[in-house]
Amino acid sequence: VSALDADRKIELLEMIGAAPQMQEVFRIVHKVSQVDVTVLISGESGTGKELVARAIHSRSPRRGGPFVAVNCGAIPETLVESEFFGHEKGAFTGASVQHAGSFERASGGILFLDEVGELSLRAQTKILRALQERQISRLGGRCSVDVDVRVLAASNRNLNEEVRQGRFRDDLYWRLDVVRIELPPLRQRREDLPALIECMVERCERELGIRPRPLDPEAMRVIHEYDWPGNVRELENAISHALVLAEGPAVTPLDLPAAVRGELELSEPALESFFEDAGGSLTGAVERVTRRVELSLIRSRLEQLQGNRGAVAESLGISRKTLFNKMRQYGLGGRGGR
Ligand SMILES: Nc1ncnc2c1ncn2[C@@H]1O[C@H](COP(=O)(O)OP(=O)(O)OP(=O)(O)O)[C@@H](O)[C@H]1O
Ligand SMILES: [Mg+2]
């Protein structure tokens, strides 16, 4: 199969990525699909880790087998064994029927350990043993069962750091990190935005029946300038939000969520995030809010008054020199001006 064919097939799974970092991801996906190696997929939340895992499954010799995804962060500590290895009827109070664990259910296919960094040390030990022995035993069961699974794991935490902090077993880490796929954050591949948006608009129409609309140039500019901390998932949400709210022929910046428009939101969660961004300092949080107030006011006055700095300074009751300094501080406007 040529590299080009590989890209096309991934396009079938709707993975967009013309940016060089994504092309590199596709190249590795293509290679690791063919061999039964363990792959660790890392990347911020919403960057497409699960999509990559599914792409590997659908292109691997195991594609006829199951793809079982386990969210490791959502398993209560008391249910770890039952979730992964299953139980026999009557193994514990409430175990009224026999239950196959995710290892068994994934046999012949792929077990996707999502958010693997969230596993407790105790759970890590159990998983490691199962991976080494390729056998598991159900809770309350007498004999062990052979399992034939290929493991893919994902984490948005830095697992190296977790190992260093003693929160993740290094032997399990080395078993998982055989080949690493690192998904870049969306803000580092802004060139993919137009294609991603087109794909999201289509998806909204197909899956939710939302009428497609183009984005006006101003909305595109706002989208290009935003940082997308929630990556592709956040973009997806922003596009559905905008398409639902839009009334005109095209999506305008006003249809986009407030966070994307860069508006200052003072809701409780927004304030908490200022506090967090300031490293848990109250003074720092207040400074951040202050800066955002200044930045927003200056930016909107500059727009209203067509960049006339004298008029902007006067309207805000500050000197031209103060305005000039603040604009420089916030990276607003170039040199010169009126
Ligand atoms: N390259 C891409 N092209 C098209 N859609 C994408 C791409 N990457 C991600 N998506 C879409 O973005 C959403 C988030 O992707 P996914 O669930 O794979 O991310 P994740 O990294 O597992 O996120 P989380 O950390 O929140 O679990 C999905 O709806 C997915 O279809
Ligand atoms: Mg995920």
Side-chain angles (χ1 to χ4, degrees):
V1 193
S2 75
L4 230 179
D5 283 346
D7 289 350
R8 281 216 192 97
K9 287 216 188 96
I10 288 173
E11 268 171 23
L12 284 182
L13 272 164
E14 300 197 320
M15 280 216 82
I16 305 251
Q21 308 100 301
M22 288 305 287
Q23 289 295 311
E24 178 63 9
V25 166
F26 294 169
R27 193 180 68 84
I28 305 175
V29 165
H30 174 58
K31 295 221 157 165
V32 298
S33 296
Q34 317 302 320
V35 215
D36 253 5
V37 291
T38 304
V39 178
L40 178 62
I41 307 163
S42 63
E44 290 177 12
S45 95
T47 45
K49 297 184 292 296
E50 178 152 357
L51 209 54
V52 162
R54 289 185 186 276
I56 294 174
H57 173 252
S58 73
R59 304 163 44 69
S60 76
R62 289 176 177 266
R63 65 180 160 269
F67 178 89
V68 176
V70 181
N71 180 353
C72 298
I75 312 169
E77 193 53 35
T78 49
L79 293 181
V80 165
E81 284 89 348
S82 170
E83 166 63 38
F84 285 109
F85 313 125
H87 59 249
E88 298 292 347
K89 183 175 171 180
F92 52 86
T93 326
S96 52
V97 286
Q98 191 208 57
H99 165 77
S102 39
F103 269 87
E104 242 181 289
R105 278 183 285 126
S107 206
I110 283 180
L111 178 61
F112 176 48
L113 300 176
D114 202 1
E115 306 303 346
V116 74
E118 304 292 320
L119 287 173
S120 67
L121 283 165
R122 196 183 69 91
Q124 292 168 30
T125 307
K126 308 245 163 198
I127 302 271
L128 178 66
R129 187 168 322 134
L131 293 178
Q132 281 165 342
E133 293 172 1
R134 308 200 149 271
Q135 278 191 339
I136 53 109
S137 36
R138 300 189 193 121
L139 265 185
R142 291 227 190 82
C143 48
S144 39
V145 189
D146 288 336
V147 284
D148 164 35
V149 294
R150 175 179 183 187
V151 169
L152 304 176
S155 175
N156 57 17
R157 294 199 191 185
N158 180 346
L159 281 190
N160 288 311
E161 186 54 31
E162 296 294 299
V163 170
R164 212 168 305 133
Q165 302 274 338
R167 287 193 293 259
F168 204 84
R169 290 184 64 126
D170 58 350
D171 42 9
L172 178 59
Y173 173 73
W174 289 117
R175 194 163 267 271
L176 298 178
D177 192 11
V178 179
V179 175
R180 171 83 69 104
I181 296 184
E182 279 192 63
L183 284 166
L186 183 54
R187 62 185 167 280
Q188 285 172 16
R189 51 176 188 113
R190 293 180 198 266
E191 65 263 52
D192 284 339
L193 279 166
L196 279 168
I197 292 168
E198 199 179 311
C199 162
M200 309 283 137
V201 172
E202 267 171 33
R203 229 184 255 181
C204 278
E205 184 184 17
R206 195 177 59 233
E207 290 170 14
L208 306 169
I210 301 175
R211 191 185 131 192
R213 283 185 169 86
L215 276 70
D216 78 9
E218 197 53 17
M220 284 303 277
R221 187 186 64 82
V222 167
I223 283 176
H224 272 276
E225 281 175 6
Y226 183 58
D227 248 13
W228 301 106
N231 297 293
V232 186
R233 187 188 305 286
E234 187 183 9
L235 177 68
E236 208 168 28
N237 293 342
I239 297 296
S240 345
H241 175 111
L243 290 176
V244 169
L245 293 192
E247 285 173 351
V251 168
T252 71
L254 284 176
D255 303 321
L256 292 165
V260 178
R261 276 181 289 160
E263 268 172 26
L264 182 61
E265 206 203 326
L266 294 178
S267 64
E268 262 171 54
L271 291 174
E272 288 293 346
S273 82
F274 274 112
F275 184 66
E276 231 174 74
D277 289 347
S281 145
L282 182 59
T283 326
V286 172
E287 272 168 15
R288 268 155 206 267
V289 174
T290 309
R291 284 204 297 271
R292 289 292 307 273
V293 172
E294 289 189 348
L295 171 63
S296 294
L297 279 173
I298 294 172
R299 194 161 52 191
S300 66
R301 292 295 161 99
L302 281 166
E303 259 170 40
Q304 284 163 23
L305 300 167
Q306 284 95 43
N308 182 332
R309 295 182 186 185
V312 172
E314 199 187 351
S315 84
L316 290 170
I318 54 178
S319 70
R320 286 179 62 131
K321 185 159 171 45
T322 306
L323 174 67
F324 178 76
N325 287 337
K326 291 196 185 296
M327 283 176 65
R328 220 178 32 192
Q329 181 189 346
Y330 298 127
L332 288 171
R335 285 137 288 270
R338 283 171 285 176

